[in-house]
Amino acid sequence: MFKKNLSAQKHLRRRVTTALRLLLDGELKVFLDRALKYISRVFTQEKKIKYSIWRNKWVELTGEEKNRLYELTAQMARRPSFEILLNADDAQRVLLETSLKSLLDQPFQEWKVQILNDSKSEKNLKALLDEFDDKRISLSKNFVPKENSWVFQIEQGDVLHEAALFAIAETVINNPEAAVIYTDNDHLTTSGNFIDPFLKPDWNPDLLTGTNYFSSIVAFKSSIWNKSFPDASNSHELALTAVNGLSENQILHIPHVLISICVSDDSDHQTPS
């Protein structure tokens, strides 16, 4: 602390000395220019924001907002349907339950989820599905989406925001030309902390070429999915193939955190894919 204060004092003395020299040399214009820039830096310095506080204000819904969400969902005249792939090759019960519960908690209920898994975990998964007892949840090895539906993938442990499906459905309704829709996301650690929001730009083809900034959620019209998925070896290739030939107004960005991607407690998730 003492060293920090001493350094600050030296810095201030240098600034005062420079200011006096400029005034004595008659360089008033230079003095005023530097003074204004310094004052501007001092008053525009951004304060470090704690994400939990920011999230509580801008992401979490109040009770009143949740009620309004249910009202708006009930009033929807048209209801797009969603086909969701939940990847669970190394099925972990707690993580799967977390993801499925976030789907069941959606006010917008026009969805089906198919769980992709390896044969080793199939028995345990069937037992879990029996407990949920919901015909919209099934196991699948060969996924073929329903015509005119919307398709997206999540990983076990990912948590959808309560408004996620409503927001995407509303975007579909208001933009009939849409073919690909992506949202912002943050991350959820295994210790239960929400961290590292990823607030994405609107459609940027150059950026997508270099990195899969779509991340999750990215929803594809089923016709686009059927055209793109068979030739894609990973999510980046899928995104690149899907947008090929589409116009700017067919690729839409919803600038809200609508999913929390499950990550470990380290920072590996911050490495671009």
Side-chain angles (χ1 to χ4, degrees):
M1 180 64 76
F2 175 76
K3 288 182 178 179
K4 188 181 290 185
N5 289 338
L6 187 61
S7 175
Q9 289 172 10
K10 288 181 178 179
H11 182 69
L12 181 60
R13 279 201 297 269
R14 284 199 301 270
R15 288 195 172 275
V16 171
T17 301
T18 301
L20 288 172
R21 179 180 59 76
L22 290 171
L23 286 173
L24 290 172
D25 290 345
E27 297 185 48
L28 182 60
K29 185 179 179 181
V30 178
F31 166 74
L32 289 174
D33 182 57
R34 291 193 179 186
L36 287 171
K37 286 181 179 178
Y38 175 72
I39 292 169
S40 176
R41 283 200 302 271
V42 169
F43 285 98
T44 59
Q45 281 181 346
E46 294 184 3
K47 294 181 180 178
K48 190 173 183 180
I49 299 173
K50 192 173 182 181
Y51 180 57
S52 59
I53 297 173
W54 186 93
R55 193 179 199 280
N56 185 61
K57 182 177 180 180
W58 297 108
V59 180
E60 299 290 346
L61 299 180
T62 65
E64 184 178 344
E65 288 169 335
K66 289 180 183 179
N67 291 336
R68 180 60 177 157
L69 180 59
Y70 277 95
E71 290 174 5
L72 291 171
T73 303
Q75 294 168 9
M76 295 178 83
R78 179 184 161 210
R79 293 171 180 266
S81 63
F82 294 98
E83 306 262 349
I84 303 162
L85 282 176
L86 202 172
N87 295 314
D89 278 348
D90 179 24
Q92 299 182 49
R93 184 185 179 91
V94 173
L95 295 180
L96 273 172
E97 286 179 340
T98 298
S99 296
L100 292 173
K101 186 176 184 305
S102 76
L103 279 166
L104 291 167
D105 287 344
Q106 296 289 308
F108 189 92
Q109 286 286 307
E110 276 65 35
W111 55 264
K112 290 183 179 179
V113 60
Q114 296 196 31
I115 301 175
L116 298 178
N117 67 292
D118 54 31
S119 55
K120 294 183 296 182
S121 55
E122 189 167 325
K123 184 178 179 181
N124 292 333
L125 284 173
K126 285 181 177 177
L128 177 63
L129 266 56
D130 287 341
E131 291 179 26
F132 274 96
D133 191 25
D134 191 314
K135 292 181 179 179
R136 295 172 300 175
I137 306 171
S138 61
L139 300 181
S140 175
K141 288 185 172 63
N142 297 303
F143 172 70
V144 179
K146 186 174 68 174
E147 189 177 354
N148 295 322
S149 63
W150 283 79
V151 186
F152 65 87
Q153 300 180 85
I154 61 174
E155 302 291 331
Q156 58 182 347
D158 292 352
V159 175
L160 272 69
H161 187 279
E162 297 112 308
L165 295 187
F166 170 82
I168 300 172
E170 187 178 48
T171 302
V172 170
I173 292 168
N174 294 333
N175 301 273
E177 75 285 354
V180 176
I181 299 171
Y182 63 99
T183 79
D184 294 346
N185 68 268
D186 62 7
H187 299 83
L188 178 62
T189 67
T190 50
S191 54
N193 295 315
F194 293 99
I195 61 171
D196 300 333
F198 185 11
L199 309 181
K200 303 161 190 174
D202 289 341
W203 170 231
N204 185 324
D206 293 330
L207 182 59
L208 186 66
T209 299
T211 183
N212 184 23
Y213 81 89
F214 281 176
S215 186
S216 188
I217 302 171
V218 53
F220 305 91
K221 204 169 184 177
S222 57
S223 57
I224 297 295
W225 173 274
N226 289 335
K227 177 195 76 172
S228 309
F229 184 75
D231 297 325
S233 61
N234 55 56
S235 59
H236 192 191
E237 282 189 16
L238 173 61
L240 290 171
T241 306
V243 301
N244 185 33
L246 297 182
S247 59
E248 185 176 353
N249 67 342
Q250 292 180 285
I251 306 165
L252 302 181
H253 170 220
I254 302 176
H256 298 286
V257 174
L258 294 180
I259 190 169
S260 299
I261 298 174
C262 181
V263 295
S264 59
D265 289 333
D266 57 33
S267 58
D268 285 351
H269 61 277
Q270 294 179 321
T271 303
S273 59

